[in-house]
Amino acid sequence: MPVPPPPHPSGARPPAIPLEFVPKHVAVVMDGNGRWANARGLPRTAGHAAGEASLLDVVAGAIEIGVQHVSAYAFSTENWSRSPEEVRFLMGFNRDVLRRRRDLMNSWGVRVRWAGRRPRLWRSVIKELEIAEELTRGNDTVTLTMCVNYGGRAEVADAAKAIAHEVAAGRIKPDKVDEKMVARYLDEPDLPDVDLFLRSSGEQRTSNFMIWQAAYAELVFLDEPWPDVDRRHLWRAVETYAQRDRRYGGAVDRPQAGAAGGAGGGA
């Protein structure tokens, strides 16, 4: 039986939100590590190291409030353009976080999965990802998808390439290719669509993260850099999400009582 994660040191508890209003899948862009470190006179790598505790605390908060999936943008396909020193640190750091934390996450009932490309990724990182996946395969408290060497466009391009090979081989008819088929060729085809897209550090963009899955996600942007984020920020974002009116392109006509009639148009 999984053990519950320890409570937040402040004693804070998650807000009482009915499960039907809690997002099933939260995508997290862990932004601001480097700026957090530089503001303290530290190298950028110190910010990445400080962000490890934030990820664990957010996963703990997801368990407590009932989120079923957390996808964390750990290393993007664009991050290879950073300095060789930072790339080496991030590769080793992702590998070591998995090695250090997999037993703890396993005890919480966390299932760890990996989304991303194999080419260029260190074999030692792939090994630790695969060990964590196998160790936690039977867990179902929450699924943590570590997105390492991942890019939303790359994922869609890889899916398109795989489908093209199937079409060329005569196993798929071109007119049968639709959105459902493309979704089946994504990195994790059984991963549900993103409900809540959460980004730290004040930047308001999605940065090529889960562009297919997050087509109708609610976006919440935090001002705090990632090392200053904990489960309480996740809970506040979930509260914001619960207040949103999700229509998926539909609309409901709700005339205002007492509204003046007459000329005028609108959508």
Side-chain angles (χ1 to χ4, degrees):
M1 290 292 293
V3 299
H8 190 268
S10 70
R13 299 298 302 161
I17 300 175
L19 275 179
E20 61 264 31
F21 297 114
V22 173
K24 292 182 175 63
H25 183 186
V26 178
V28 182
V29 178
M30 304 178 289
D31 192 29
N33 295 319
R35 279 165 284 169
W36 179 92
N38 290 167
R40 289 159 175 77
L42 301 170
R44 290 176 54 83
T45 53
H48 297 305
E52 178 181 345
S54 295
L55 177 59
L56 281 173
D57 204 69
V58 165
V59 171
I63 293 171
E64 292 179 321
I65 203 168
V67 171
Q68 298 173 13
H69 293 266
V70 175
S71 294
Y73 210 4
F75 189 91
S76 77
T77 50
E78 289 74 35
N79 286 157
W80 293 105
S81 64
R82 296 189 177 184
S83 71
E85 294 78 17
E86 187 171 1
V87 168
R88 281 195 296 271
F89 176 86
L90 287 169
M91 285 292 103
F93 181 65
N94 280 299
R95 176 194 62 208
D96 295 344
V97 166
L98 288 160
R99 185 180 297 156
R100 284 195 303 269
R101 301 297 190 175
R102 65 185 176 221
D103 289 337
L104 175 63
M105 290 191 287
N106 186 45
S107 72
W108 291 354
V110 177
R111 183 182 183 188
V112 178
R113 301 180 76 174
W114 166 40
R117 284 177 162 175
R118 283 179 175 266
R120 298 188 72 180
L121 193 55
W122 287 10
R123 283 180 292 178
S124 60
V125 177
I126 294 174
K127 177 182 176 181
E128 294 302 329
L129 285 162
E130 290 178 340
I131 290 173
E133 282 187 313
E134 184 59 33
L135 175 67
T136 63
R137 186 178 300 278
N139 295 341
D140 59 5
T141 301
V142 66
T143 296
L144 172 63
T145 301
M146 296 292 293
C147 298
V148 185
N149 199 22
Y150 173 90
R153 288 181 174 179
E155 181 180 30
V156 175
D158 289 347
K161 185 187 301 182
I163 292 171
H165 280 299
E166 294 295 296
V167 170
R171 290 187 287 268
I172 294 176
K173 294 182 178 179
D175 59 358
K176 296 297 183 181
V177 178
D178 57 13
E179 292 180 16
K180 289 184 178 179
M181 180 175 290
V182 173
R184 290 200 298 270
Y185 281 82
L186 298 177
D187 284 357
E188 299 292 341
D190 57 343
L191 191 67
D193 283 348
V194 174
D195 298 305
L196 171 61
F197 190 104
L198 184 64
R199 182 179 185 139
S200 59
S201 201
E203 303 290 353
Q204 298 189 11
R205 57 180 180 270
T206 59
S207 292
N208 194 27
F209 188 42
M210 296 211 156
I211 56 176
W212 182 279
Q213 299 89 339
Y216 276 99
E218 297 295 327
L219 310 180
V220 174
F221 300 106
L222 306 174
D223 290 331
E224 296 83 359
W226 180 249
D228 289 338
V229 172
D230 62 28
R231 71 187 80 181
R232 295 170 297 180
H233 296 85
L234 171 68
W235 294 341
R236 287 197 289 272
V238 170
E239 287 184 299
T240 298
Y241 168 88
Q243 296 166 5
R244 300 273 178 91
D245 183 13
R246 306 189 76 202
R247 296 188 299 272
Y248 300 97
V252 178
D253 194 15
R254 295 191 180 97
Q256 296 298 308

